[in-house]
Amino acid sequence: MTTAQVTSPLPETLWHYTDAAGLIGILSNEDVAPTPGVVGSGTFKPILWASAAQFLNDRRELVHGLELVKGHIEEVIDPPTGTISPLGTVTPTLMNAKKDFLRELCRAIDAVIERRYEAYIHCCTISFSEDPDVLSQWRAYGGGLGGFSIGFNTSQFPHSDGSRAHVGGLGLHKVSYTSDALEGELLKAVKGYIDQLLLSPDTPKPTRTRVHREMQSLAFFAASVKHKGFEEEREWRFIEPGFFNPPEFRATPSGLIPYRKIELPASAVTGAWVGPGPNQYENYVAVQSLLHRLGYLAASYNVHCSETPFR
C-alpha cells in the first residue's frame, strides 16, 4: 500500500556539505571519455551516494521518525480517552483483524529500533540544506576544517517534479522537525496512510512479506523526520527506494553500508562555498580551479567563502 507524501515547493538551489575527498568524488565522474591526444575533450558529471537509512552512523536519523509513526499507530489502536479512532467505522470483526495487523506492524518497528529487524529496508537518503553556510553543517559534514558545500539545481533531480513517483515518496522532500509527536504535513501524510489501510474493504494478512512492504512505506515518512533541535539545518533529503536494482556497497571502519548512486547532469552543479579553516583562501582558489578543470564552468564563477569566523 502506498499513499501520497505532502511535497513542499522546491527551492531553486540546495547545498550538499562534504569534505575535500567527497568533493572530488562527487564531481570527477567521467561522462564522455576524452579523445586521445585532445586536451580537455572529456566531460564529467556529478554522482551522489545515497546511503541506506537503516545503516546511517546516527541511527536516530531513521529511529526518531519511526518512533513517532509507531506512537501514532498505537493511538489509532487504543485511542486516548475522549477521542474516536477511525477503526470505529468498521465492524467489530474487521476492526479486530485490522488492530492485529497494526500491532504486528508496531512490533516490526520495534525490531528496527532495537536492531533486530532482519530484512534490508530499501530506503536510501542523502542530505542537503537550503543554506550554504551553516556552522553546524561545517562541523558535522565538512570534517571540521576545510569543508565545502556544493550547490545543486533542484530541477535537475529525478522524481522531484510533483510527479506521481515524487508524491509517492521518491525524490527531494523537506525534513519535518518535531520533538515528541507527528504534526503538520507529516501527520497528514501518515494519517492518510493509516486511513487508507483502515478504510479498505479487506485486511492484509500479517505475513512477513506484507508487514515488510508496509514497513518500507513507513520508512519513507520516517526518513524525512528529525528532532526539533536540528531545525537550523533547514534540511532536505533525496529519498531513493531502489526496489528494482540491487544496491552498491562501500566499506567503512565499522563494516558494509549499502548505497545507491544518484547521477545528475553537469548542469546540476551551480556553485560552491568553502568552509571556515586556516586554509580557506587556498581551498577557495583550488575549488575554482577544480570546477573549471572538470568542465563546470558556470559553477567555477560562483564560489564563495564562509562568513563564519575560524577558531
Side-chain angles (χ1 to χ4, degrees):
M1 176 185 299
T2 59
T3 190
Q5 292 215 50
V6 179
T7 57
S8 300
L10 292 177
E12 182 177 344
T13 305
L14 287 172
W15 302 85
H16 178 69
Y17 286 75
T18 187
D19 58 16
L23 176 79
I24 294 172
I26 290 169
L27 297 178
S28 60
N29 300 282
E30 195 173 82
D31 191 15
V32 177
T35 302
V38 180
V39 178
S41 59
T43 60
F44 295 85
K45 63 182 177 182
I47 295 181
L48 296 159
W49 288 10
S51 298
Q54 202 174 358
F55 294 78
L56 292 173
N57 289 334
D58 183 0
R59 295 187 66 256
R60 297 296 304 178
E61 298 278 327
L62 180 64
V63 167
H64 179 62
L66 283 177
E67 287 176 338
L68 299 182
V69 170
K70 180 193 170 192
H72 178 76
I73 295 175
E74 288 176 334
E75 287 193 359
V76 171
I77 297 172
D78 186 17
T81 302
T83 62
I84 300 175
S85 168
L87 285 169
T89 62
V90 301
T91 64
T93 299
L94 193 56
M95 177 178 67
N96 290 333
K98 290 181 182 293
K99 282 187 176 182
D100 287 343
F101 183 82
L102 292 176
R103 290 191 184 99
E104 195 61 38
L105 198 51
C106 286
R107 282 191 280 272
I109 293 174
D110 281 335
V112 173
I113 293 172
E114 298 167 7
R115 297 185 177 184
R116 296 183 290 103
Y117 196 72
E118 297 181 356
Y120 170 60
I121 299 175
H122 291 267
C123 180
C124 294
T125 71
I126 185 166
S127 296
F128 301 87
S129 174
E130 293 183 29
D131 194 328
D133 184 16
V134 180
L135 179 58
S136 61
Q137 298 288 72
W138 294 127
R139 288 173 171 168
Y141 304 108
L145 298 174
F148 303 87
S149 63
I150 311 170
F152 290 95
N153 183 333
T154 58
S155 68
Q156 303 291 305
F157 280 78
H159 312 305
S160 301
D161 54 358
S163 64
R164 182 175 180 181
H166 187 205
V167 299
L170 280 69
L172 289 166
H173 290 274
K174 189 174 185 177
V175 169
S176 296
Y177 295 95
T178 180
S179 298
D180 52 13
L182 295 178
E183 56 188 36
E185 293 182 353
L186 184 67
L187 176 59
K188 292 178 183 177
V190 175
K191 185 177 183 301
Y193 169 86
I194 298 298
D195 287 350
Q196 185 177 346
L197 171 66
L198 300 180
L199 297 176
S200 63
D202 59 347
T203 299
K205 296 185 181 301
T207 62
R208 181 176 179 178
T209 299
R210 184 58 190 270
V211 169
H212 179 64
R213 188 194 309 172
E214 304 306 327
M215 171 62 72
Q216 295 266 169
S217 295
L218 294 177
F220 301 151
F221 298 126
S224 60
V225 182
K226 290 189 80 169
H227 191 276
K228 210 170 187 65
F230 297 98
E231 198 163 7
E232 71 163 19
E233 295 176 351
R234 301 173 68 196
E235 186 175 348
W236 286 67
R237 287 184 180 158
F238 183 86
I239 300 174
E240 174 58 74
F243 295 123
F244 305 110
N245 299 309
E248 307 283 346
F249 292 86
R250 59 186 175 91
T252 71
S254 60
L256 291 173
I257 294 183
Y259 72 94
R260 307 200 69 82
K261 292 181 179 180
I262 312 302
E263 299 188 15
L264 300 173
S267 58
V269 179
T270 63
W273 278 67
V274 181
N279 300 315
Q280 187 182 59
Y281 166 74
E282 291 83 354
N283 284 331
Y284 170 76
V285 174
V287 74
Q288 283 183 316
S289 180
L290 174 69
L291 288 165
H292 195 275
R293 161 68 178 82
L294 298 178
Y296 303 101
L297 301 183
S300 71
Y301 296 105
N302 187 26
V303 179
H304 307 273
C305 289
S306 169
E307 298 177 357
T308 303
F310 168 68
R311 292 182 179 179

